[in-house]
Amino acid sequence: MAPMSVLTRDEAQTRAKLLDVHRYQIELDLTRGDEIFDSRTVIRFSTRADGDTFVELKPAELRSVTLDGTLLDLDAHSLDENRLPLKDLTAGEHELRIDTTMRYSRTGEGMHRFTDPTDGETYVYTQLFMDDVQRVFAAFDQPDLKAVFELTVTAPEGWTVLANGITERQDDGSWRAAATPLISTYLVAVAAGPWHSVRTEHRGLPFGIHCRRSLAPHLDTDADEILDITRACFDRYHEKFEEPYPFDSYDQAFVPEFNAGAMENPGLVTFRDEFVYRSAVTDTERQTRAMVIAHEMAHMWFGDLVTLRWWDDIWLNESFAEYMGYQTLTEATRFTDTWTDFGIVRKAWGYDADQRPSTHPVAPDPEAVPDTASAMLNFDGISYAKGASALRQLVAWLGEKDFLTGINTHFARHKFANATLADFIESLAAATERDVHAWADSWLRTTGVDTLTASVTAQPGEWTLTLDRAGSRPHRVTVGVYDRDLNDSRALLLRERYETDIPQQPAPE
Ligand SMILES: [Zn+2]
């Protein structure tokens, strides 16, 4: 069996040059039984020149395709694996209507369907990251073809339908979600079933947390804690970011059999429902859940409002959310020691990966990510842990004020659009005198660790600290001077903090 065609970076670039996608109207019918659902999509788009392109879909059955009002003969316009060719388009506006039946998934990809063994209730939810949109509806499936999404869902009696935008039940029994702002295809989300929900409002926006009914008592027990962390992070991000929260609601659904930890769908974050704790847990586990809440919320700005252009920048997306998540939790919640955990667990993972022959630069060469299939291969201790550590060093090196100024410039420049690592560096460079390009070259385009060694010499009345560096990268380090606590022999008291720069070593002539 031939593998489905994966989208290459070259194909994505060509298609982005040709197309401007405006709007998707998607109708899903979830009342067709256990195996399949109906999916009807209308895509409005324009082409900038005459040309050929394709739309992706993986249907159980393709019933009809109508292009600009003309029903296509499916014998002549058949699917080529997961691609429907659209030939001889003329420059201008187009409307594509596709009527299909799709298959539910049992693997967490596309529209996952789960029946709870506890009570026999059924739930479905989407996970469309990277290239699984086409399992749910027909789409020009690449991150830089953002569009407005309007969704209507027909669901069994007694279900609630959640989506990116606020949903409302209509007179005919179907559910309609408010149109999204411009978002990427991989961020569209639906979760439907007889959810147990705890709803509230914060800063005028509806907030909700949801789980399957059989977990209701456990969610209720922790609802205050989860919502308190959500509100605290939300408020803190509003202090840091000038762009207000970009979507119309904030739902967090704890869903069954989820493959990842969580997914940052705008307005509808999905979490694995193992985060609804069913027995006594340690405070470290509570901190982990809080960390994931903070991480996913950071993506609402960095990832969802401003989205990577291609998958070579996943590391930046994840490192940013990782950095912001730890930092914001420390600042805004009772979990004030998150960076200690990061230093022990995450950073050690990065150090380890970076000293192996298999290490690679934090930022891959774009040529190293030629298609969606290769995008996940480099996703390891370097991309996540070293990437987030480097970003934290960047904040120390720039100063948090300039870093946030740069970030806010970045959001203002690229909101509801896409950006690359180079755009990110440009935005930071606009906020500082420092040479951010050189910093990026030495930290993100190289491999291996630098070693800093501290030695202290003492003379009467004077201490001298010397820092030796093996390596060439610039570092900003903070040195703390401590006194022994006379009341507690195990404790130290901070007397003073000194910040110092270790400048970049010029490249040998
Ligand atoms: Zn993330």
Side-chain angles (χ1 to χ4, degrees), residues 30 111 122-126 153 155-156 159-162 190-195:
L30 307 178
M111 180 80 81
T122 295
Y123 301 84
V124 302
Y125 64 86
T126 55
V153 178
W159 283 23
T160 305
V161 176
L162 306 167
V190 180
W195 301 109

Side-chain angles (χ1 to χ4, degrees), residues 262-264 295-296 299 317-319 321-322 379 384:
M263 177 67 204
E264 67 267 25
H295 174 115
E296 301 308 323
H299 278 310
N317 195 27
E318 290 310 328
S319 295
E322 183 102 337
F379 219 52
Y384 249 105

